[in-house]
Amino acid sequence: MKRVILVTLLVALAGVPAAAAVAPIDGATDAPAPAVNDAVSTQQTDDGDGNYTRLYVDARDSYLDLKPGESDTYTVVVENGEDEAVDVNPRLFTSPTDRNPINESWVEIDGPDTIDAGEEVEYEVSVSVPEDTEIARYSGAIAFTDQTVSTPGRPDRPIHAAHMSVTVWKEPTVRILSETYIHTQVEAGDSISKQIVIENTGDESVPLSPERAEQRGHCYGTHCPQQVDQSWIDVDAPSQIAPGETATVTVTISPDADAERGRYDTSLDLGLQDPNRRDDNNYWQEVSLSFVVWEQPEEPYEAEFDVSERTDNVTLTLNPQNRRTAQNAEAASFDVTFVSPDGERIEAERVEVSQSGYVDLGSSPQRGAQQDGPYATNGGQTEFVYELEEPAAGEWTAEIMPDNTIGFQYEITQNESDEESDE
């Protein structure tokens, strides 16, 4: 009969948690923020001049995303809370403060001019965007009466109205085919390169002028990234991408030999100009750079463990902890030596190597994941197992020298004979 005693320890040589991160769907503009009068309910209120009519206005699906030449329809529901019929005048309202007001010629409203007492009426609003419309977000409201409300410092706005927004967009012609989140590691004094591939499917050349960004914001606490020395970052790229062609941007990270260990975060603006995207929509071309600078140790890590007289054998399991590295980076490895209580040095025999990973078929890949058809793979782990047979009782030491890894986890397992089996 056997029983197993486990001793588990964790060593992190240079790893620090990475910052997470996030981005809207490529090709579409930012979703508009909800307006305060999307569903306006006006009770009978005295503003000093008289009473407002009790109409309750509710817009359904009034935020539209349309390409030039497209059209769509949505519904506005108006309920009359008065004891008598109310005449209405459905029309488009735009404010002088709207950056891009909706053109009146785009909008048609179908519905009655009178709402009976207690009646609820639906109005169909049709929006048609002309072919020559510029990419932008356009705003306005569907108003039903001439009654307005005043706000200090702002133009009067209609009381009985429902906000509407039309985001005009086109299919992007410039796409970044590579991941835009570089999550890697590099040894101090060494360098590592990553490539970003960009495709231009349009009919005209697209400028390409990458710029390194200074670290933004402030961070407080023990897990904050280090300040990046921008001289470590080198970017090699052509000045433009020809129609129907791809271009490659090579980003090389080369920290100084005396660079401090730890995590560094910065970003890169590719300086692309897609004619089918808004000028103020730049999130899609930003590349996040997050890397850990580490230092190869000169001496091995020493893990001490006690061996009892009932121990049959000892196994040492090692799991390297790495961020994603360059394709040509060397794999992690270990040199392991067991030192007996009397000082004898025994080179450990590696008896097993295993690999594991996670494959997702049901969701879009997270940052840093690799996509291969329907398979999204993220992470993975390599495990090394070393064995020591029939160790003498006493205090042992495992000398572990890591190579090409920023940290590792180890587990020492002693397989012991049951006391009763010795009788």
Side-chain angles (χ1 to χ4, degrees):
M1 176 179 181
K2 301 283 187 178
R3 62 180 179 181
V4 178
I5 301 176
L6 301 181
V7 181
T8 305
L9 300 174
L10 176 66
V11 179
L13 297 182
V16 185
V22 179
I25 298 174
D26 194 19
T29 52
D30 297 338
V36 295
N37 61 336
D38 280 350
V40 179
S41 294
T42 56
Q43 301 292 338
Q44 186 169 353
T45 307
D46 192 337
D47 65 347
D49 295 326
N51 295 328
Y52 292 122
T53 303
R54 291 182 300 176
L55 292 181
Y56 307 94
V57 181
D58 181 18
R60 301 173 183 174
D61 303 320
S62 61
Y63 294 98
L64 305 179
D65 290 321
L66 299 174
K67 297 178 184 178
E70 289 186 340
S71 61
D72 200 359
T73 301
Y74 70 93
T75 301
V76 180
V77 178
V78 183
E79 180 184 355
N80 181 7
E82 298 288 348
D83 296 330
E84 58 185 7
V86 174
D87 293 333
V88 294
N89 178 28
R91 70 195 185 281
L92 174 69
F93 169 83
T94 57
S95 170
T97 59
D98 290 339
R99 177 180 297 179
N100 297 300
I102 296 174
N103 193 301
E104 186 176 3
S105 64
W106 299 3
V107 179
E108 291 186 4
I109 307 170
D110 184 20
D113 295 332
T114 301
I115 306 176
D116 292 335
E119 185 180 11
E120 184 178 276
V121 177
E122 291 187 354
Y123 290 83
E124 188 176 83
V125 181
S126 300
V127 181
S128 299
V129 178
E131 290 280 0
D132 58 353
T133 304
E134 294 184 0
I135 297 172
R137 181 187 300 151
Y138 299 85
S139 58
I142 302 300
F144 291 87
T145 70
D146 294 331
Q147 295 178 4
T148 59
V149 63
S150 299
T151 303
R154 300 188 63 183
D156 293 351
R157 62 184 180 89
I159 288 291
H160 309 106
H163 181 80
M164 66 178 297
S165 173
V166 180
T167 299
V168 179
W169 66 286
K170 296 180 181 179
E171 290 288 348
T173 60
V174 181
R175 294 185 182 275
I176 302 175
L177 304 182
S178 310
E179 60 186 74
T180 56
Y181 182 69
I182 297 177
H183 180 79
T184 188
Q185 65 191 55
V186 57
E187 185 177 357
D190 201 354
S191 64
I192 193 170
S193 295
K194 293 284 187 176
Q195 293 186 329
I196 303 165
V197 180
I198 307 166
E199 180 184 34
N200 177 17
T201 60
D203 299 327
E204 56 186 78
S205 295
V206 173
L208 176 60
S209 55
E211 295 182 358
R212 296 186 297 271
E214 296 293 337
Q215 187 167 323
R216 297 173 293 180
H218 300 279
C219 179
Y220 304 95
T222 58
H223 296 299
C224 293
Q226 306 276 9
Q227 191 71 31
V228 176
D229 185 335
Q230 294 298 326
S231 66
W232 298 353
I233 312 296
D234 180 72
V235 182
D236 182 30
S239 60
Q240 63 179 9
I241 311 174
E245 299 292 334
T246 60
T248 300
V249 177
T250 301
V251 181
T252 302
I253 305 171
S254 305
D256 298 334
D258 58 355
E260 291 188 28
R261 296 183 305 169
R263 193 188 92 214
Y264 293 81
D265 291 344
T266 186
S267 61
L268 180 70
D269 190 317
L270 295 175
L272 293 165
Q273 296 181 11
D274 188 340
N276 283 6
R277 299 181 196 254
R278 287 170 22 208
D279 292 337
D280 61 348
N281 185 7
N282 293 321
Y283 70 87
W284 63 276
Q285 62 174 347
E286 292 182 357
V287 177
S288 297
L289 303 176
S290 178
F291 58 94
V292 168
V293 174
W294 63 286
E295 180 182 351
Q296 175 66 35
E298 296 182 359
E299 299 294 331
Y301 177 79
E302 296 183 353
E304 296 180 351
F305 59 98
D306 290 324
V307 173
S308 70
E309 293 182 354
R310 295 183 292 109
T311 300
D312 292 332
N313 61 69
V314 174
T315 58
L316 170 65
T317 304
L318 299 173
N319 299 107
Q321 308 296 313
N322 279 336
R323 289 188 167 199
R324 299 184 65 198
T325 55
Q327 293 181 353
N328 59 349
E330 296 183 9
S333 62
F334 298 92
D335 287 329
V336 178
T337 300
F338 289 115
V339 183
S340 69
D342 60 5
E344 180 185 2
R345 302 178 63 82
I346 303 172
E347 288 192 14
E349 179 184 359
R350 193 174 72 192
V351 296
E352 182 181 333
V353 178
S354 62
Q355 288 183 310
S356 62
Y358 176 72
V359 180
D360 190 352
L361 281 69
S363 64
S364 54
Q366 303 295 317
R367 278 184 168 185
Q370 291 182 312
Q371 188 76 27
D372 182 12
Y375 301 103
T377 59
N378 199 346
Q381 182 172 282
T382 303
E383 184 174 271
F384 303 89
V385 179
Y386 299 80
E387 190 171 67
L388 176 64
E389 292 287 349
E390 300 181 353
E395 184 175 294
W396 285 72
T397 300
E399 295 181 347
I400 307 169
M401 175 60 81
D403 192 26
N404 296 316
T405 180
I406 61 173
F408 61 90
Q409 177 179 333
Y410 73 87
E411 180 181 81
I412 298 175
T413 304
Q414 298 183 44
N415 294 296
E416 298 182 341
S417 299
D418 191 10
E419 290 181 336
E420 295 181 358
S421 63
D422 296 331
E423 295 180 357

